[in-house]
Amino acid sequence: MHPDLEKLIVLQQLDVEAKRLREEIAARPKRIAELAAKAKAASAHKATVLDRIAKEETLRRQQELDVRDHQAKIARVRRQMEMATTTAQVAAFEHEIAFEQAEVSRLEDAELESMERSETLENQKAAAEDAVEDSAKTLERERQRADEADARDQAALAEADAKRSALRPEIGETALANYDRIAKGKGTALAEAVNQKCTACQMMLRPQRWNDLRNRDNDEEMMACESCGRLLYYDPARDAPQRKTVQSESIAASIVRSL
Ligand SMILES: [Zn+2]
């Protein structure tokens, strides 16, 4: 294997790791903001339920006052009816009493309906209070977790960046420029070839190239995948059929350790 290629493999691992850490750090505030929005929505829902409960109570107080008014009127009309002198007057008073009684029935029915709505709202209130409490707890817990994870990731990122800075000057200028150019376009510049395939784009290598790649004497030249353009490397310890019984650590791991 070309000596620069070994270092590039490590560089790519560090680059991929640094990118992953940066993405995780960047994604956290968004997740926290989502949880904060949920907590806010839960509070708003609870306020709406409490407001509706208060409105039902106000409505029922008014209905009770109205019922009392109508009942007082019925009593008044009854007293007037006792002093009525004609059948027509009695009929008019009876008509008025019937009207007032119908109003009382209507108001009492409406009051019952309001009580049923209140009962439903009381259930909603309990659920809304639970939701407020849960969402606040979740937010607080996730904020704390995010702070801890950020601190961990920032430390890991600083370490990866330091390793990258130490490694890059040790790589040949041309190889490094090539790496940077391909990585910029493709996200990754290197791909391992396993079972005669580029593991990045899954295209088969032509048999001659596969043989060249595996030839240990061929250390001068870096080979690129003819399909995706990434630089190919081959790790005999990782290729089939020994793949499942690999004991020795990979070349890459040993370089990382030595940094
Ligand atoms: Zn490829």
Side-chain angles (χ1 to χ4, degrees):
M1 191 183 280
H2 191 291
D4 277 341
L5 196 50
E6 292 182 8
K7 289 171 192 157
L8 286 176
I9 292 169
V10 178
L11 183 61
Q12 175 157 299
Q13 285 178 345
L14 292 168
D15 283 345
V16 167
E17 176 66 359
K19 182 168 178 277
R20 184 186 70 79
L21 290 167
R22 283 201 176 87
E23 282 168 359
E24 281 192 9
I25 291 166
R28 270 183 207 117
K30 217 186 281 174
R31 163 138 175 81
I32 295 299
E34 281 168 14
L35 290 173
K38 255 187 205 170
K40 202 177 158 192
S43 293
H45 177 63
K46 183 186 154 189
T48 305
V49 172
L50 291 180
D51 184 50
R52 286 176 63 195
I53 288 173
K55 276 184 179 143
E56 291 296 340
E57 280 165 2
T58 306
L59 176 67
R60 281 203 300 281
R61 271 199 298 277
Q62 188 55 53
Q63 287 166 336
E64 278 160 23
L65 288 175
D66 289 351
V67 165
R68 255 175 255 161
D69 281 353
H70 289 293
Q71 281 167 341
K73 196 164 183 194
I74 291 169
R76 207 165 55 238
V77 174
R78 281 213 168 105
R79 280 195 302 276
Q80 289 174 329
M81 198 164 66
E82 281 166 18
M83 291 181 283
T85 49
T86 66
T87 322
Q89 277 178 330
V90 171
F93 286 133
E94 274 175 349
H95 181 76
E96 201 172 346
I97 288 169
F99 173 79
E100 293 299 324
Q101 279 172 337
E103 273 302 287
V104 168
S105 295
R106 187 188 64 77
L107 284 164
E108 282 171 347
D109 287 349
E111 211 179 327
L112 275 176
E113 282 165 17
S114 168
M115 282 169 81
E116 277 167 18
R117 283 197 298 275
S118 282
E119 208 179 305
T120 308
L121 285 167
E122 286 296 331
N123 290 335
Q124 288 179 6
K125 179 186 156 192
E129 280 169 346
D130 285 350
V132 166
E133 202 179 314
D134 285 353
S135 58
K137 267 189 200 160
T138 303
L139 177 62
E140 183 49 37
R141 188 186 61 229
E142 290 304 314
R143 261 195 188 130
Q144 201 178 334
R145 274 191 195 164
D147 288 346
E148 288 163 8
D150 270 352
R152 265 201 314 275
D153 285 353
Q154 292 287 5
L157 183 59
E159 198 185 329
D161 280 341
K163 283 179 178 173
R164 288 164 73 217
S165 302
L167 181 60
R168 285 178 66 91
E170 295 187 17
I171 303 168
E173 244 175 76
T174 314
L176 192 60
N178 242 344
Y179 170 92
D180 285 340
R181 179 181 52 79
I182 302 168
K184 201 176 168 198
K186 305 246 169 216
T188 52
L190 307 182
E192 186 175 3
V194 179
N195 293 331
Q196 208 179 327
K197 255 191 208 166
C198 166
T199 53
C201 72
Q202 307 303 325
M203 286 299 286
M204 291 291 287
L205 272 67
R206 283 186 286 130
Q208 185 54 49
R209 278 184 93 68
W210 177 236
N211 285 337
D212 288 348
L213 186 66
R214 288 187 300 167
N215 186 349
R216 303 302 275 167
D217 302 331
N218 197 356
D219 272 357
E220 294 310 308
E221 179 195 11
M222 283 194 211
M223 263 187 268
C225 171
E226 287 179 303
S227 170
C228 71
R230 289 184 182 84
L231 299 169
L232 290 171
Y233 65 92
Y234 169 76
D235 188 346
R238 298 237 310 134
D239 201 19
Q242 305 95 316
R243 202 177 168 81
K244 285 181 186 122
T245 55
V246 174
Q247 297 291 326
S248 61
E249 66 183 342
S250 68
I251 304 160
S254 65
I255 295 184
V256 166
R257 231 172 9 86
S258 71
L259 280 172

